[in-house]
Structures are given as structure tokens and as C-alpha cells.
Amino acid sequence: TQLLEQSPQFLSIQEGENLTVYCNSSSVFSSLQWYRQEPGEGPVLLVTVVTGGEVKKLKRLTFQFGDARKDSSLHITAAQTGDTGLYLCAGADGKLIFGTGTRLQVFP
Amino acid sequence: GAVVSQHPSRVICKSGTSVKIECRSLDFQATTMFWYRQFPKQSLMLMATSNEGSKATYEQGVEKDKFLINHASLTLSTLTVTSAHPEDSSFYICSARGKTSGSYNEQFFGPGTRLTVL
């Protein structure tokens, strides 16, 4: 069974702080995606990374795919209250396998 | 992007009854649909994968006789929770992947259905 472990599980920070969320697996994936989910809603795709070592930026969010395509990280610079939510990584291998999730709370 | 809808958004039922949840792709043909279950404060767990016109493939530990999946057309898949019990209460989310999806076989997610079994 493929497992994607995310760390930390919970993160509570103040506006303006930086943070990094990690997504680790023992399996290799053809691509990896990051989602954000608000309570009571479906997940929304943030980014897809495909190539080992790839770095993608989405405004204040920076995503990196590990060289071996087994792990990934999400870095948020100067967090805002609007960044609050559940962040999920998902490995693609014919189907999407979701990570354990990181719940982020940003306080004003 | 492509839009996926689910109906109903919330449903409350009595223990022992069956509940049907619909998942529709509104502006594309979904060759494959996926059903996920999410318990409070947890991640999404894949329940089953269905291809149009074929029987669904269930993940290990998911009872196929309890969670009936039908994918009769390229725009509609249904999940029926039979003889529901309180432990089936959860957030059910579908996603769809189609021929016109992005380069990486992107899946488009529905808004979810909150099932509460009393």
C-alpha cells in the first residue's frame, strides 16, 4: 500500500510567518499534486509537479518535487489568514493517493 | 476548469435505509470517476474507481455490496450506501477524469456530500 506522510499534521502560526509542509513517501510517483481544502468543500488543485527536482511558484507558495520523485514540499512565505485550510499532497500513479494532510491555521 | 457537481450536498437518513449520491461532470465527458470518503479531520481515502460502462474497482477494505457504484454514462456516476449505519456517516467526495483533462490526467473534484446516519 502506498502511503504519503505529511508533516506537520497541524500548524498554527501568525500572519507574516513563513512555513514549510513536507510530503514523504517510499514510493515513486509519476507526478505529485498539492491541494487545499476548505471545511465542507472538495479539494482544490494548487499545483502539479512532474519532474524530479522541479520547483514551481504560485505567488507566495513554492512547491518542490524531490529528485527521486518520492517527496515534495510546500513553502508559504508571509502567511495570510486566507491561507488557512487543509493542505493535501497526492501522488499520481493511475489514481490519486492522498497524503495524511496538514491543517494550517493562520491567526491575524 | 472543468466542473463536477454532487447531489445532494447534505443528507440525513435513518439507520438501515439506503442513500444515493450523484456525481456529474457538467462540461466534459468523464471516462473515469473516483469516489472518496473523508472522516472528520482526516484525509481523503479512495473507495473505488469506476470506468464508464464497467464494474467499479474497489480499494481494499471497501465493501462493494455496501457501497454500490454505477457509472452508466460519461457524465454521471452514482454511489449508493445500502443499509446505512451511523459509522457510515462521512463526507463523500467524487472526482472525474476525462479525455479533455490536462496533460497530467487531472482529476476534477466535486464539492462533496455530507452524509449523517442517525
Side-chain angles (χ1 to χ4, degrees):
Chain A
T1 304
Q2 296 168 312
L3 288 174
L4 279 162
E5 295 282 343
Q6 286 183 236
S7 62
Q9 274 189 295
F10 302 98
L11 199 50
S12 182
I13 60 173
Q14 281 201 303
E15 259 190 327
E17 291 185 31
N18 302 332
L19 66 116
T20 302
V21 177
Y22 299 93
C23 173
N24 294 292
S25 173
S26 57
S27 302
V28 176
F29 293 100
S30 56
S31 66
L32 193 139
Q33 300 176 338
W34 283 93
Y35 292 82
R36 186 172 77 195
Q37 185 183 24
E38 306 275 355
E41 299 179 11
V44 175
L45 179 66
L46 296 174
V47 78
T48 300
V49 285
V50 179
T51 307
E54 182 177 4
V55 176
K56 279 192 175 178
K57 289 193 174 185
L58 185 66
K59 295 184 181 177
R60 293 175 295 101
L61 278 60
T62 302
F63 305 85
Q64 185 163 8
F65 202 11
D67 291 340
R69 290 187 289 130
K70 292 183 180 180
D71 55 86
S72 181
S73 64
L74 157 61
H75 182 79
I76 301 180
T77 304
Q80 300 177 356
T81 55
D83 296 328
T84 293
L86 176 65
Y87 288 82
L88 297 160
C89 64
D93 189 19
K95 54 190 177 184
L96 276 181
I97 304 298
F98 278 86
T100 48
T102 295
R103 193 163 297 277
L104 172 65
Q105 177 77 54
V106 182
F107 291 97
Chain B
V3 179
V4 175
S5 70
Q6 281 184 241
H7 179 79
S9 57
R10 290 176 179 270
V11 57
I12 300 172
C13 68
K14 292 183 179 179
S15 187
T17 61
S18 294
V19 174
K20 181 184 283 188
I21 301 170
E22 293 185 349
C23 176
R24 293 182 186 271
S25 57
L26 299 186
D27 49 4
F28 69 103
Q29 293 184 325
T31 51
T32 307
M33 283 187 170
F34 305 86
W35 286 94
Y36 294 83
R37 181 168 54 183
Q38 184 177 31
F39 291 110
K41 303 198 184 297
Q42 293 187 22
S43 185
L44 280 71
M45 296 297 295
L46 180 63
M47 298 174 67
T49 301
S50 73
N51 292 297
E52 186 264 337
S54 303
K55 286 185 178 180
T57 302
Y58 290 81
E59 295 297 303
Q60 195 173 8
V62 178
E63 300 174 58
K64 62 180 181 181
D65 293 331
K66 180 166 187 63
F67 299 99
L68 301 178
I69 292 171
N70 183 279
H71 190 172
S73 79
L74 285 172
T75 59
L76 173 65
S77 175
T78 60
L79 166 67
T80 301
V81 183
T82 62
S83 187
H85 287 94
E87 57 265 30
D88 298 323
S89 298
S90 188
F91 194 50
Y92 291 87
I93 305 172
C94 73
S95 72
R97 185 173 69 197
K99 296 176 184 177
T100 55
S101 293
S103 304
Y104 310 119
N105 289 319
E106 183 177 350
Q107 289 180 215
F108 300 96
F109 285 83
T113 296
R114 172 78 57 196
L115 169 63
T116 303
V117 185
L118 303 176

